[in-house]
Amino acid sequence: MNNIKTSKLDIILNAIQSGILIFDNNQELIHSNTCAEAILSRICPEDIILSIDDVRSIFNLKWDDNQGKIERDEIHKNGLSVSIIKHDILIDNNHTTLIQISDITGQKNQIATVYKQASDLLWKIRSRITPLQNALSLLTDYNDNLDEETTKELLKNSRFEIWQLERYMDTFRDMSLISANYLKQSLVIERLELDSLLDEALKNVKVFRIYAGIECTIQHSTRNKYYINGDKMRITRIIESVLLNAMIYSQKTAKIVITALRENDTVILRISDNGIGIPEADQFNIFTYGFRGENANKTEYNGMGCELFIARQVMLYNKGTISFQSRENQGSTFELQFGDSE
């Protein structure tokens, strides 16, 4: 240890993202980096660590004194989750103990959110199966007693439930791929005609509009042929999600304006609405996993805050972007930018 100048050691240790505590052969603290000090100031602000015994006592750790053994623990205190790893190392024939401290609160929270979202999605899938079963039961067991209007209503509702099931399963799949860092590898990139994607998305959201009885006028002013590179299914799904939000969060009759244009080597798709808009305080988090705006939570629609998060990930891997401009009670404009495949 004495061969390393303190200033150089500071530089090395402070460049490490984890907290580092170093103890000498007498188990007394001889060095700590700024990351360790920051974590300790939040998790045990009233305590002072001068030795390994202090670490054991403060965090109630059951370490033995066998040198050379790596000890691993995870503690939860003052709202934080912290990983602690103890290494016994030999430096210049002196036994030295290095304790690595990492704040894993964010990871824990993300894992908990993933589990909750998975549970919610599975429950939503299950909740859609029940009305389908009921409708099929009526159509098969009591078909002779059903009038034409009732039959059409059952079929319309069943079509909507199947459409919802498809969307929930697509969301579940993509959330699983994102969690496994495998979304990029799963994309099928091909040359696509943007107008065909728009037509497909409009046809799909019509199922929801009819079921929900939403009055909606859609102005689709651009019929030029623009070609992009992307994953067909997922780009269509992103367009659907933006259109659905425009319908769901409309204050009155939904008015949606769709425009497409080319600027230099970029194809731009804009979708504007006259909905409730996004409060300024919520706009920074709109693409955050699991987030829903304050005014969106006051509506009757129980979204999960996944669609825009997934959309940003997909657009990133398609070498594109998704952005928006919004004013509360006036509406929003979402913009998708793609590299031109011409």
Side-chain angles (χ1 to χ4, degrees), residues 38-280:
I39 294 172
L40 292 172
S41 68
R42 286 183 290 139
I43 199 166
C44 52
E46 304 298 325
D47 297 304
I48 298 176
I49 293 178
L50 298 175
S51 68
I52 291 179
D53 285 338
D54 293 334
V55 177
R56 286 195 185 99
S57 174
I58 292 169
F59 299 125
N60 194 27
L61 301 173
K62 308 299 182 183
W63 292 341
D64 59 36
D65 293 323
N66 293 337
Q67 290 184 339
K69 183 179 179 181
I70 297 177
E71 303 276 4
R72 300 174 186 271
D73 283 279
E74 187 176 301
I75 63 167
H76 308 278
K77 189 174 180 179
N78 291 341
L80 297 179
S81 296
V82 174
S83 167
I84 299 180
I85 304 175
K86 180 174 77 73
H87 306 266
D88 288 319
I89 57 179
L90 195 64
I91 299 179
D92 293 338
N93 294 319
N94 294 316
H95 289 286
T96 304
T97 300
L98 184 148
I99 294 180
Q100 180 181 355
I101 304 176
S102 303
D103 184 353
I104 57 172
T105 308
Q107 298 171 33
K108 286 290 182 179
N109 289 343
Q110 184 173 10
I111 291 170
T113 303
V114 169
Y115 284 154
K116 183 180 183 303
Q117 294 284 11
S119 176
D120 288 346
L121 277 168
L122 289 171
W123 174 249
K124 284 180 177 289
I125 290 171
R126 181 67 184 89
S127 69
R128 295 298 174 185
I129 292 174
T130 300
L132 271 176
Q133 290 174 325
N134 293 338
L136 289 173
S137 177
L138 288 170
L139 288 169
T140 54
D141 297 341
Y142 302 98
N143 186 49
D144 294 339
N145 300 322
L146 299 176
D147 57 37
E148 184 178 352
E149 184 178 347
T150 302
T151 300
K152 286 183 177 180
E153 186 70 15
L154 286 170
L155 290 173
K156 181 190 77 172
N157 292 347
S158 297
R159 182 187 181 192
F160 171 74
E161 300 297 349
I162 291 171
W163 175 77
Q164 284 281 66
L165 278 172
E166 289 176 344
R167 289 186 62 82
Y168 289 149
M169 288 188 282
D170 285 346
T171 298
F172 196 15
R173 176 205 57 208
D174 281 346
M175 288 307 305
S176 300
L177 290 170
I178 290 171
S179 298
N181 294 318
Y182 202 74
L183 178 64
K184 183 178 181 180
Q185 294 90 323
S186 72
L187 299 179
V188 179
I189 306 298
E190 55 186 320
R191 188 170 184 263
L192 305 169
E193 184 185 345
L194 183 59
D195 202 57
S196 296
L197 300 181
L198 275 169
D199 288 341
E200 180 70 17
L202 288 166
K203 181 183 74 174
N204 291 341
V205 299
K206 185 179 179 181
V207 176
F208 170 78
R209 183 170 62 81
I210 292 173
Y211 175 84
I214 294 176
E215 294 184 22
C216 179
T217 60
I218 299 176
Q219 179 184 340
H220 183 188
S221 59
T222 304
R223 288 291 173 182
N224 295 332
K225 290 187 181 296
Y226 296 123
Y227 291 91
I228 64 172
N229 292 318
D231 183 292
K232 180 180 180 180
M233 181 178 62
R234 290 181 171 94
I235 298 299
T236 304
R237 173 72 180 273
I238 291 171
I239 298 171
E240 283 180 26
S241 297
V242 176
L243 290 170
L244 283 171
N245 284 342
M247 294 178 186
I248 289 171
Y249 301 119
S250 59
Q251 301 185 92
K252 42 191 176 181
T253 300
K255 182 179 179 181
I256 301 171
V257 178
I258 303 171
T259 56
L261 64 150
R262 181 187 291 112
E263 290 185 357
N264 299 322
D265 295 329
T266 302
V267 174
I268 300 172
L269 175 66
R270 293 192 183 111
I271 301 175
S272 302
D273 64 59
N274 64 334
I276 61 176
I278 304 166
E280 187 175 352

Side-chain angles (χ1 to χ4, degrees), residues 251 272-278 326-333:
Q251 301 185 92
S272 302
D273 64 59
N274 64 334
I276 61 176
I278 304 166
S326 184
R327 299 187 70 175
E328 193 171 8
N329 299 320
Q330 294 187 30
S332 304
T333 296

